[in-house]
Amino acid sequence: MTATLGIYPEKNPFTLKITGGPDGDVAGNLIKIVIRNYGKNVKILGIADGFGVAEDLDGLDPDELLRLVEEGLPITSFDRSRLSSRGVMMDISSEEGLARRNSMHFRVKTDAFVPAGGRPNTINADNCLQFFDDSSGKLVPSSPLIVEGANIFITKEARQILYDKGSVPIVKASSANKCGVITSSCEVAASMLLSKEEFMAVKSELVADVLTDLRSLARQEAELLFKEYHNYPGNLPHFSERISFAIGKVTDAITDHLASVNPGDPLYEELFPLVVENLPKKLAEVAGDRVRNRFPVQYQRNAMASTLASRLVYSEGIHFVESQPQDKMAERAILYYRESLKIKKLTELIESSSNSSSSSSSSSSSSSSSSSPLGSLSVEEKKKLLDLLKRGGARTALGVF
C-alpha cells in the first residue's frame, strides 16, 4: 500500500472493501488483523458474502465486525443499529439485496479491495470494466489496489484488462497467500520436533516468533514485487509469477544437486545450518538439536534448497536468477551462500570497529580506532561501506552479473 498509494497504514487513514464473510477464515482473520494493527486508521466500507451485504460510507463498526468474527456469523448478522445514517445491510432474499451483494465489489469506492471469498471467476473479461467509474470521461478504478485473498476470484484475462485500462496493481494470490504456506510448514516442523506438552509450554513464544518471521518474509516479497513492477514493464501478477518461478528454479537446481549428498559429506554439513536457521527462533532454541534425527534426510535437503533459494531471489532479484543457466544454478547458489557468509563477517567487523571508535571517542581515546585501517574512516564512510557490502557484496564477490 505504501509503494502503490503513498499510504502509510500505521499513520494514515485508509479504506477497504472485502468479499467473504466475517465467518470465513480469510476474511475473518483479515478483519481481526487490520483492526488490531491499524485501529481507527482503517475503515471497512463494504463486506459481501454468501448471505448478503453490509455497506457504510462512515465505516462498518469495528467492534460489531469483531463480534461476528468471534461468533462465526455471516455479515447479515450485523446489528443494524450499529450502522451510521449512510449505512445499509441487506440479505439476498430481496432483488435489491441480491443486486447490491453482487455489485458491492464494483460499486463501493475504497483505497484497496481484498477478495477474500466468493465464487470463482466473479470478475472476468466480460464484466471487469464495471470496476471503473467513467463519469469523469476517463476510467477511474473503484479501488486503486487489489490484494487477492481468494485464489480465483479474478480471472487472468480480467487482471490484464484491469492493468491495461487502468493500471490497477493486483497482488496475486500466490504472493498474498504465501504466509499461509509458510505457517503450514512451521506447523509440520513443530509436530516433528516437539511433543504436545512441549509445544503447549512454548506456544506463546513460538507463535510470536512465527509472526515475526511472517512479517519479515511478507515484507521481502512485497518489496521485491513492487521494485520489479516499478522498474520494468508488466503487470503485478506477471512479476508475482516470475518470483515464484525464480525461487522454484533455484530450489529445483539445489535439490537435484544434493540428491546424492548425505549427512557427513562436507557439502551437506556446510549447508546444514540453513535447516536450523529456517526454524522459528524458539523452536530452534528448544529443539534445534533434534533436527538431524527427526527430520527425514530428504526433508533436510529440501529445507536447505528452499531457504537458500529464497535468500538468493529476495536479495538479488528475479533478473539475476533468470539470467543463470540451469546447469550452473546450484553451483552458483552455493558459491553465493559462501560469499554471503564472508560478507556477513566483514560487516560485523566494520560494525564492531564503528562501535569501538564510538566508545573510544566518548572516552577521549583514539588509539584503538587508529590502530585499524578502518579507524581512518568517518562514521558516514563506514555506513556507506556497510550499505554497499549488504546490498551487493556477495553478488560482486561471486563475479556473475
Side-chain angles (χ1 to χ4, degrees), residues 45-225:
L45 304 191
I47 295 179
D49 65 12
F51 298 90
V53 62
E55 304 171 21
D56 197 329
L57 295 181
D58 291 327
L60 293 167
D61 184 270
D63 291 331
E64 179 63 3
L65 289 177
L66 290 175
R67 180 185 73 83
L68 299 184
V69 173
E70 293 303 320
E71 297 181 14
L73 297 172
I75 196 61
T76 47
S77 296
F78 193 96
D79 184 351
R80 284 186 171 85
S81 69
R82 308 295 288 270
L83 294 168
S84 76
S85 59
R86 300 200 293 170
V88 61
M89 193 275 286
M90 304 183 76
D91 61 38
I92 59 173
S93 62
S94 68
E95 186 175 337
E96 182 183 0
L98 180 63
R100 273 185 171 273
R101 192 283 303 270
N102 291 347
S103 62
M104 189 282 296
H105 53 279
F106 289 134
R107 291 183 294 101
V108 176
K109 296 179 180 180
T110 58
D111 293 311
F113 167 42
V114 181
R119 292 180 178 177
N121 308 326
T122 295
I123 297 181
N124 53 62
D126 295 329
N127 64 18
C128 63
L129 290 182
Q130 295 178 47
F131 197 74
F132 297 99
D133 178 2
D134 62 356
S135 59
S136 64
K138 61 179 182 178
L139 295 178
V140 179
S142 60
S143 298
L145 173 66
I146 298 174
V147 181
E148 294 184 342
N151 290 324
I152 50 178
F153 188 86
I154 307 172
T155 66
K156 182 176 181 179
E157 294 77 15
R159 290 193 198 106
Q160 190 61 48
I161 294 171
L162 290 170
Y163 173 75
D164 290 339
K165 297 293 185 180
S167 298
V168 179
I170 301 173
V171 180
K172 196 170 180 285
S174 59
S175 287
N177 293 334
K178 193 164 285 189
C179 283
V181 177
I182 296 167
T183 302
S184 297
S185 177
C186 292
E187 291 172 347
V188 171
S191 70
M192 287 193 284
L193 296 176
L194 301 176
S195 67
K196 181 178 180 180
E197 292 73 23
E198 289 173 323
F199 172 76
M200 295 306 297
V202 299
K203 180 180 177 182
S204 59
E205 294 172 90
L206 180 54
V207 169
D209 288 339
V210 170
L211 289 173
T212 297
D213 291 345
L214 292 178
R215 292 187 182 104
S216 175
L217 290 164
R219 183 169 295 278
Q220 290 180 65
E221 176 85 10
E223 288 176 348
L224 177 58
L225 185 60

Side-chain angles (χ1 to χ4, degrees), residues 267-339:
L267 180 57
Y268 195 99
E269 298 307 315
E270 181 183 12
L271 299 180
F272 180 78
L274 289 167
V275 184
V276 180
E277 290 171 16
N278 193 44
L279 298 175
K281 182 179 178 181
K282 191 63 181 180
L283 186 57
E285 176 188 318
V286 172
D289 58 350
R290 305 174 188 175
V291 167
R292 287 185 182 274
N293 296 326
R294 298 197 182 182
F295 282 0
V297 171
Q298 188 56 49
Y299 188 97
Q300 295 180 42
R301 293 191 188 110
N302 292 342
M304 295 174 194
S306 61
T307 301
L308 180 51
S310 295
R311 288 187 184 182
L312 179 59
V313 173
Y314 288 132
S315 296
E316 303 303 334
I318 55 179
H319 298 273
F320 173 75
V321 171
E322 289 173 345
S323 68
Q324 306 303 316
Q326 188 66 19
D327 62 344
K328 298 288 186 181
M329 191 70 256
E331 175 188 344
R332 290 178 178 176
I334 293 167
L335 285 173
Y336 180 88
Y337 174 64
R338 290 169 181 157
E339 295 300 332

